[in-house]
Each structure stands twice: as C-alpha cells, then as structure tokens.
Amino acid sequence: MTLKLSIQNLKQSIREIAAKAGRGSEDIRLVLVTKTVEPARVREAYEAGERDFGENRVQEWQEKKDALPKDIRWHLIGHLQTNKVKYVIGQAALIHSLDRFELADAIEKQSKARGIAEVPCLVQVNMSGEASKFGLEPAQVEDFIRQMALRPLIKVRGLMSIGPLTEDAGKIRECFRKARELFEDLKRKFPGQPIEVLSMGMSADYRIAIEEGSNMLRIGSLVFPRDVKK
C-alpha cells in the first residue's frame, strides 16, 4: 500500500468513526508522527497534502526540518528538556508537552529574549496516573493554567494526554472521557482563553479518542509502518 493510500484510508476511517459518534470530521486535526521516519518519507506525506507533523526528539527534528519544506507545521510532542527550549520556540507551531513550571519559565525567558510574541502550548496531563508517563495530575491543571498569567508569552491552547498502556478498551475510554471532561471544565473556567485543542489518540487508540471527543490525533505507525523506518 502506498503512503498516500494509507493516509486516504486513515482519513476515511476518521470520517466514519466521527459520523457514528455524531461528530463531523472536519474539526479533527491529524498530526503525522515522524519519529525515526526518513525525510524522504515525510516529503511523500507532504506531497500527498499533509502539513502537520509531530516530532518527539528535538535533535532529530532539527536535522529533519532543514531538509523539508518550510511551510510544514511542526508539533513538538515529546518530553521537552529546558536546555532544548531555545531550539524549539519560534520554530514549532505547537508544543504539546508543557508539564511543569520549570519548563514554562524557560519558554517565557527564551521567548522574551528573542522577541517572540507568543508560544502556543498544550498542557500535558497524565490521566492514567502511570509513573512511566510525564504530565500534570488532573487536579493540578487548573492552578497551573492560572499561573500562566504570570508568563504572558505562553498561550495555553488546550490539553494533551496519552492513553494508558493497556489493551483494555474500557480503561482507555475512561481516561479519554476524563480528559474530555477536564477539557470542557477548563473551557468554562477560562472563557477568555482560546482553550480549543484536545490532543489525544494515537495509532492504537485513535478510534476511542474520536468517540470521546478528541479533536487532534497523533498518528505514526498507521501511516509510516515500522518496516519502512530506519
């Protein structure tokens, strides 16, 4: 199967799942995860019409983005170390992994020094409580967003969450449902802020994520199978 056909099939699946859930698919944004994917394969997806791509590691992303079209919207979806912030701000369309004050302070400091007007971010929340995952506890998120008022260059656009590492669909659904409920609660509590993105759902669980209200999917292996990665 060609990469273009893989993308077409994925989008058809998204449309069908959204329709069954009583949703329109036009508001569900697809971010193709290109971790370990060769630039030539990323370019194939670009030529098929895709513009949103996600990278986990800053160094790999830096090497890749210089070899690819400049109008790509890069999403930094992996854990971000403070010493790598200077390479990301002003370059990434959206940081998905804002998860601590130390990182927020580094983003604010670097943005101010470089004259960058705003840095769109998603707050990462660990809904599953798994120790292996980064992210704030759900109860910490509201206060964390309030504290961002002291860091005016950071613009919180929503939440990012990763489903639990399990094949139990019920547990995955519960985590995604709780993330959506938190997302809706935050929109009510912060009406003056553009909290509009709920990034959840990957290759293994995107169907459940759509059913539970995700409007941004991070898909890698369904489009870039492992056997074509380096």
Side-chain angles (χ1 to χ4, degrees):
M1 184 182 298
T2 66
L3 190 148
K4 183 175 182 179
L5 184 56
S6 294
I7 294 172
Q8 290 174 345
N9 288 344
L10 172 60
K11 289 187 171 181
Q12 179 61 28
S13 174
I14 291 170
R15 285 192 291 269
E16 292 173 357
I17 296 164
K20 288 180 181 178
R23 304 180 59 193
S25 63
E26 60 277 1
D27 296 326
I28 300 174
R29 194 164 166 186
L30 178 61
V31 177
L32 297 184
V33 179
T34 55
K35 176 183 176 183
T36 75
V37 178
E38 295 284 359
R41 295 287 287 168
V42 180
R43 186 177 289 275
E44 280 187 62
Y46 175 89
E47 291 174 351
E50 299 308 300
R51 293 296 181 270
D52 290 280
F53 296 92
E55 277 289 338
N56 292 67
R57 299 187 179 97
V58 173
Q59 184 174 349
E60 182 182 344
W61 169 51
Q62 284 186 287
E63 295 170 355
K64 198 170 293 180
K65 71 181 179 64
D66 291 338
L68 289 163
K70 302 305 179 185
D71 62 334
I72 285 177
R73 293 183 292 269
W74 289 105
H75 297 243
L76 199 287
I77 62 177
H79 182 68
L80 180 57
Q81 298 173 310
T82 56
N83 64 348
K84 298 292 179 63
V85 167
K86 59 187 175 183
Y87 303 116
V88 174
I89 57 166
Q91 301 292 317
L94 186 62
I95 296 172
H96 288 230
S97 49
L98 179 60
D99 62 355
R100 60 201 188 280
F101 288 114
E102 179 188 22
L103 177 58
D105 290 340
I107 292 173
E108 185 75 12
K109 179 180 178 180
Q110 288 288 341
S111 300
K112 189 175 297 183
R114 293 165 180 248
I116 295 171
E118 62 177 55
V119 182
C121 296
L122 302 181
V123 174
Q124 183 172 354
V125 55
N126 184 352
M127 296 303 304
S128 68
E130 292 170 298
S132 60
K133 288 186 171 63
F134 294 102
L136 295 169
E137 296 177 13
Q140 297 174 318
V141 174
E142 181 181 342
D143 181 65
F144 184 83
I145 293 177
R146 291 191 189 283
Q147 294 297 321
M148 291 305 101
L150 302 175
R151 301 159 179 86
L153 301 183
I154 292 175
K155 304 301 179 184
V156 174
R157 300 299 192 203
L159 299 179
M160 185 272 267
S161 192
I162 299 172
L165 185 59
T166 178
E167 294 183 0
D168 187 332
K171 290 182 179 178
I172 297 171
R173 187 176 300 281
E174 181 182 14
C175 280
F176 286 164
R177 176 180 55 78
K178 289 181 176 178
R180 177 179 50 80
E181 290 172 351
L182 176 60
F183 173 68
E184 297 294 344
D185 186 51
L186 293 170
K187 288 202 295 183
R188 288 190 294 269
K189 290 177 176 177
F190 298 94
Q193 295 191 36
I195 296 177
E196 55 197 17
V197 177
L198 180 56
S199 173
M200 62 183 189
M202 298 163 62
S203 292
D205 55 22
Y206 79 94
R207 295 171 177 82
I208 299 173
I210 293 171
E211 292 169 352
E212 293 303 323
S214 172
N215 59 22
M216 183 174 283
L217 306 171
R218 308 180 306 277
I219 305 294
S221 60
L222 285 178
V223 172
F224 302 110
R226 294 186 183 280
D227 62 355
V228 299
K229 293 181 180 181
K230 65 181 180 181

